[in-house]
Each structure stands twice: as structure tokens, then as C-alpha cells.
Amino acid sequence: MKSVYEDVIKRDPNQPEFHQAVEEVLDSLSPVIKLHPEYLPVVRSIVEAERIIQFKVPWYDDNGVLHVNRGFRIQMNSAIGPYKGGLRFHHSVNQSILKFLAFEQVFKNSLTGLPMGGGKGGSDFNPKGKSDQEVMRFCQSFMMELFRHIGENLDVPAGDIGVGGREIGYLFGMYKKLANEFTGILTGKGPSYGGSLIRPEATGYGLVYFAKEMLSTKNKSFEGAKCSISGSGNVAQFAAEKVIDLGGKVVTMSDSSGWIYDPAGIDREKLAWIMDLKNIHRGRISEYADKFTGSSFTKSEPEPSLNGLWAVNVDVALPCATQNEINAEEAKMLAANNVIAVAEGANMPCTPEAVGVFHQYGILFAPGKASNAGGVATSGLEMSQNSLRLSWSREEVDDRLQKIMIDIHKNAFDTAKKYGLPGDYVAGANIAGFLKVAEAMTAQGLI
Ligand code: NDP
Ligand code: 2IT
């Protein structure tokens, strides 16, 4: 296993996020390889992307000035289904970040139990401060190249940071025009053109369904629980909504400029205000503190550090912004306040050292590839509805989502126990996710 990791570093020495994601999975897989040495070649193969596409995305701003961004699609693994995973538009996007996300996606998609391989893509385009017209021109230019590499049975992208309903709409329109056909090529579509109900809510809701299962292993629940959430985008908003639904109290949220603390709790009305601020006006979370008395705003620097958010005394912490936002020091602050559970809404928001602290203190910890899988699972349900040319009701999709999250929890929990690591959801999720893909790769001849 050590040689696999060394080879990964040797091949791409400048990809720290990818190395981090690979190292964690390889660590978990050691006991599997002891039991199944025949899977070692699979491990060697699974760390290499099947295909990486990089392309130029030229677009004109509202003043007629040309900008040139980079577009990417990482087609990581198609052993159990078409590549599936989001598109991220953020100034930090590079191959390392997208490869870590695509790698995580392979295991996550396997855990959903649905037939989806792993992929990820995006661009270093920064949507902040751009007009709708600029975002539209960028999306159209991006799709002009991406369209030849995707397909409903080949690769089905969706949203991620900086890509929500607006962007998916523009991307879908351009795909449809170029391909001259109406297919379910993207998920996260609007409900009027093939999108699934509950898909916008799914990652946040699914996260809380998963955390609820974790808490119940300790005879705890969200009823009366204090909860800190980071981020104020898609995942954070609907995680907050579900925590409130289950009787919990959300006291923090954030964006890249800083975080807000509301000791009285962000109730339904305040959350509706945040959704309007973020989704319609595209404003900053600092405005919350101006609007609601008793709340405060703390600026944070440098990104993604949140200078104190994780020092707030809570029962449950749900990091929902970005990778590596909780380090060991912050994990120790959560431990000092006797946090019961930490569940990742974002992908890899906790550093390996932070995860070590949670394990050391016996804090329940869920890795994103298990706890945030509700988003891609519901994307899988959107693909099924598109294939059937049917739309299921909110209740039907929500019921399926809940069942999938309960199953993922059980699978990760039972697998960890089986491999002698009870309570270690990281090992459980990595091993369970790997085994299905490994079997499929082996059956197909490791080509
Ligand atoms: P959004 O773009 O809707 O929201 C992202 C939020 O995180 C914003 O509040 C943003 O602040 C903040 N944020 C992003 N980058 C940074 C940074 N570098 N430092 C500090 N804050 C930051 O994205 P999503 O909610 O969709 O995604 C959040 C996380 O969840 C990501 O890790 C994503 O990969 C993961 N995820 C998303 C899924 C989905 O279905 N959307 C599914 C599974 C996981 P600001 O607006 O200021 O940039
Ligand atoms: O990280 C993720 O799982 C996502 N951004 C969602 C991917 C999807 O295809 O819905």
C-alpha cells in the first residue's frame, strides 16, 4: 500500500488535496488487502483517473473584455455505472482539487447503492460579482467543449460549489442545442424541465438524516441539540432547515468572508431571510448581523479558516463549506466543548489531524463520502425519473432519500465493526464503498 501511495506522489507531486484523499482511503484499505490480497492490483488501478479532460473556456464580460478560464472533467471510474459527479466553479479549482473530489465520488456513489461511477469537473471561473448575462455566456462557452465528452450513458454532471440551479439551466440549454436532443444529461435541473423534486434539499437533508442515525447509536437525537453549521450555500441551508425540523437549534453559519453567531438560534424565518439573501440577492452573510439584533459577525482570514466558529459550544457540528476548514486545533475546541457528533456536509472539510482528534476523544465522526451522499443519491433518482419519463412526488423522493441514508449508515457502521474498527465510519465507508467497485473492476478484467 505504501508503494501505491509513493507512486501517486511521484506521478503528480503537486496535488496535495488528491494525495490527502488517497492516503486516507489507502489507510482504511489495509485490513481489506490482508484478507483479499487479490485486490491489490485494483488498488493500484483505482487511484488513476480513467480520463482527464482539460479545455479552454473563453468568454466576454459585459464590457466586451475577453476572459480565458480553464475547464476540466475528471472521469475517474466507470466500473459500476456512468461517471457521475458535480461541477465546481471557484477561483481555487485545479486538477488536484478536482481529482480529490472525483476520487471521493467513486466511493460515495458506490455507497448509495445506485449504478453510478465517479467523476468531477469545473472551472477556475469565479462567479462572484458576475452578472447573470456573464454567468450565462461563461456556461455556454464551457458547455460548447464539455458537450462532446458527456452523455446520459457516459457522464452526467451536476452542481457543486458555485454551480446551482441557475448555472445548471444555462448549461442544460446549451447542451440541448448542441446535441439536438432532450436528455437527462445533467442533474439538479429545474422541475419544469426534468429536475427531481427534493434534489436541491437532498444533500443537506441527507446529511441530517445520517447524523440522526449516528446520534441514535448513543441514544441521542436532534431534539434540543445545539448545532454549528459552516457555509450558507446549498448544503448548509438545507442542513439548517432539517435540523430545525427535527427540533434542533442552529447557532452559526458562514461564508468566505466570515461567520455569524446567533445565540437565540436561526429559526425558520431567519433562515428564509438567509436563503433570499444568498440565492436571490447573492449578498454576504455579514448582513445577517445588521438585520437581527443579538447576533454577531466575525470576519475570517485567510480562507477557509473561520477564526472561532468551531469554538462555539455545540452538541453537533456540520461543516458544509469546503475542504480542510477544520484543523486539529479547531477539532480540539469542539472536543473541549464535548461535541457529540461531527458530520461532514462538505467534501473533506476536516483535515486528517482533525479526524484523528475526533477518534481520540470518542466523538462520532462521519466522513463526507457517507454523510453527504444524499445529494448524488437523489441525482441518481433524478436519472431514474428521466429514464422513466416520470416525476415522483416530494414524499416519494424524500422517502427514498431517507432509506438510502439509513442504509449507508448501516453499511458503514456494520462494515467498520466487521473489520474490527467499531464506530470508525471512515474505515467503514471506505471499505464498503471500495468492495463493490473492486468486485466490478475485477469482473471486468481491470482494463
Ligand atoms: P455553494 O456554492 O452553494 O456554497 C458554498 C458555501 O461555502 C458558501 O457559503 C461559500 O461562501 C462557502 N465557501 C466556499 N468556499 C469557501 C472557502 N474557500 N472558504 C470559506 N468559505 C467557503 O456550494 P454547496 O453548498 O453546494 O457545497 C458546499 C460543500 O458541499 C462543498 O464541499 C461541496 O463539494 C459539498 N457537496 C455539495 C453537494 C451538492 O449537492 N451541492 C453534494 C455533496 C457535497 P462564499 O459564497 O463566500 O464563497
Ligand atoms: O459532491 C457531490 O456529491 C456533489 N457535488 C453532487 C454530485 C451529483 O452528481 O449530484
Side-chain angles (χ1 to χ4, degrees):
M1 297 297 255
K2 201 161 158 256
S3 73
V4 178
Y5 184 60
E6 282 165 2
D7 285 349
V8 166
I9 294 184
K10 216 187 296 162
R11 271 197 164 153
D12 294 300
N14 301 316
Q15 299 189 346
E17 292 87 0
F18 180 56
H19 301 161
Q20 184 182 332
V22 167
E23 188 174 25
E24 182 213 276
V25 169
L26 294 183
D27 278 353
S28 297
L29 293 182
S30 292
V32 179
I33 299 306
K34 268 196 201 116
L35 217 63
H36 297 283
E38 72 276 14
Y39 279 160
L40 187 58
V42 177
V43 176
R44 263 196 225 115
S45 177
I46 208 168
V47 295
E48 183 71 6
E50 290 177 9
R51 190 178 297 115
I52 294 182
I53 300 141
Q54 184 185 311
F55 51 95
K56 172 165 125 177
V57 190
W59 59 280
Y60 286 92
D61 69 20
D62 290 343
N63 299 317
V65 176
L66 176 73
H67 297 259
V68 179
N69 284 101
R70 268 191 181 165
F72 302 90
R73 188 72 184 165
I74 315 290
Q75 297 181 332
M76 197 75 201
N77 191 293
S78 60
I80 64 168
Y83 307 107
K84 181 82 196 90
L87 296 171
R88 177 176 290 192
F89 293 169
H90 192 264
H91 60 82
S92 64
V93 160
N94 57 33
Q95 259 202 43
S96 174
I97 289 178
L98 294 181
K99 275 176 69 183
F100 116 64
L101 289 163
F103 185 69
E104 293 278 291
Q105 201 81 45
V106 173
F107 301 87
K108 183 194 304 193
N109 293 4
S110 165
L111 285 169
T112 66
L114 300 173
M116 300 182 289
K120 200 87 188 187
S123 174
D124 56 5
F125 172 72
N126 178 5
K128 271 197 209 102
K130 305 289 190 297
S131 69
D132 285 353
Q133 298 298 312
E134 289 172 330
V135 171
M136 183 171 77
R137 283 195 292 276
F138 173 80
C139 287
Q140 291 174 339
S141 180
F142 183 85
M143 187 52 87
M144 244 188 273
E145 175 65 31
L146 185 68
F147 100 99
R148 67 187 90 249
H149 306 292
I150 60 177
E152 60 178 336
N153 295 313
L154 168 63
D155 186 352
V156 181
D160 193 80
I161 291 178
V163 178
R166 173 183 62 170
E167 291 75 18
I168 294 291
Y170 295 149
L171 291 163
F172 182 80
M174 194 61 182
Y175 180 87
K176 181 164 66 65
K177 199 172 179 70
L178 291 167
N180 199 27
E181 59 177 19
F182 194 115
T183 63
I185 185 60
L186 294 154
T187 58
K189 299 184 291 296
S192 59
Y193 60 98
S196 177
L197 296 172
I198 299 286
R199 175 61 188 90
E201 294 88 339
T203 312
Y205 279 16
L207 169 67
V208 177
Y209 295 147
F210 191 97
K212 181 173 172 243
E213 292 304 300
M214 292 169 84
L215 289 172
S216 71
T217 65
K218 301 259 185 213
N219 293 319
K220 307 265 186 202
S221 77
F222 273 103
E223 188 63 51
K226 246 181 16 175
C227 187
S228 53
I229 293 180
S230 63
S232 51
N234 173 267
V235 180
Q237 290 173 16
F238 290 105
E241 184 166 287
K242 191 49 75 180
V243 169
I244 298 167
D245 280 353
L246 297 184
K249 182 165 149 183
V250 177
V251 291
T252 69
M253 286 180 91
S254 73
D255 64 19
S256 56
S257 54
W259 59 283
I260 52 123
Y261 174 48
D262 188 343
I266 300 168
D267 59 19
R268 270 175 228 285
E269 230 168 275
K270 294 171 179 173
L271 181 61
W273 185 89
I274 292 177
M275 287 183 178
D276 187 66
L277 172 80
K278 285 286 163 186
N279 307 344
I280 312 289
H281 302 295
R282 300 185 189 272
R284 308 308 297 158
I285 199 73
S286 56
E287 296 170 45
Y288 183 97
D290 302 331
K291 169 87 183 161
F292 298 106
T293 44
S295 67
S296 58
F297 171 73
T298 307
K299 203 169 172 297
S300 58
E301 251 173 355
E303 266 181 41
S305 158
L306 286 170
N307 294 351
L309 188 157
W310 306 112
V312 174
N313 191 340
V314 291
D315 304 298
V316 179
L318 303 174
C320 296
T322 194
Q323 62 274 1
N324 293 328
E325 49 169 322
I326 301 188
N327 60 25
E329 204 184 311
E330 291 160 321
K332 281 181 194 153
M333 293 176 189
L334 285 163
N337 285 326
N338 297 318
V339 71
I340 304 164
V342 179
E344 294 186 332
N347 286 307
M348 207 167 77
C350 301
T351 65
E353 295 77 22
V355 177
V357 171
F358 298 139
H359 284 158
Q360 183 193 337
Y361 285 87
I363 293 162
L364 294 169
F365 172 74
K369 61 169 76 74
S371 48
N372 73 31
V376 74
T378 308
S379 280
L381 301 179
E382 183 167 323
M383 290 166 74
S384 301
Q385 292 169 79
N386 291 165
S387 297
L388 294 166
R389 297 185 190 279
L390 282 175
S391 301
W392 296 330
S393 67
R394 284 182 75 84
E395 292 70 29
E396 164 118 39
V397 180
D398 197 22
D399 284 352
R400 286 179 189 259
L401 169 63
Q402 286 188 54
K403 186 174 177 313
I404 289 170
M405 297 316 295
I406 290 169
D407 287 349
I408 296 174
H409 177 271
K410 186 172 173 359
N411 194 2
F413 187 87
D414 291 350
T415 305
K417 204 161 148 194
K418 183 173 162 194
Y419 281 84
L421 296 159
D424 185 341
Y425 289 98
V426 175
N430 285 335
I431 295 170
F434 171 79
L435 286 173
K436 180 176 173 187
V437 179
E439 191 183 312
M441 285 174 73
T442 307
Q444 292 168 33
L446 285 180
I447 44 168

